[in-house]
Amino acid sequence: VYKRQVFHFEWEDGSANSADTIKSIQNKLVRLHWIDSPEDEYFEFHIVQDELTGDVELLIIDFCLDEERESTAMLWESQVEMLRSVIGA
């Protein structure tokens, strides 16, 4: 069941952003829209499980300008690494 929520993100550099949930599938996917971004842009966390091996993958989709691609990828990589350390993966 989809439940609209607003999430507040605080980054290591002290900046913060808010995002509104635009799609949610329990234990599978959450799609969010940065409140200050163009209406058609979103970012998404999608949990994918391989049917044969049972391996689980976190797929992150995010819109950014071409010149921001490397820094955006580095940002999400650092956030996923922090998540791994917190959950012991």
Side-chain angles (χ1 to χ4, degrees):
V1 175
Y2 169 68
K3 181 181 178 186
R4 193 170 193 130
Q5 293 179 285
V6 174
F7 290 92
H8 303 283
F9 292 79
E10 294 182 17
W11 308 105
E12 293 176 351
D13 67 359
S15 63
N17 299 89
S18 295
D20 187 26
T21 308
I22 56 176
K23 183 176 182 179
S24 178
I25 302 171
Q26 187 173 356
N27 298 324
K28 294 235 182 244
L29 173 136
V30 63
R31 183 178 293 169
L32 302 127
H33 170 261
W34 293 120
I35 290 175
D36 58 351
S37 292
E39 199 63 34
D40 60 345
E41 292 183 9
Y42 63 88
F43 64 106
E44 179 175 292
F45 302 103
H46 191 170
I47 298 171
V48 181
Q49 185 169 17
D50 187 287
E51 291 182 23
L52 294 176
T53 65
D55 290 346
V56 176
E57 177 181 356
L58 175 62
L59 177 63
I60 301 172
I61 299 169
D62 191 2
F63 285 79
C64 66
L65 300 172
D66 283 340
E67 60 269 15
E68 296 172 338
R69 185 177 297 227
E70 188 175 328
S71 64
T72 300
M74 288 174 42
L75 169 71
W76 285 119
E77 286 173 18
S78 72
Q79 297 303 307
V80 168
E81 195 57 42
M82 187 182 302
L83 174 63
R84 281 186 179 142
S85 71
V86 169
I87 65 173

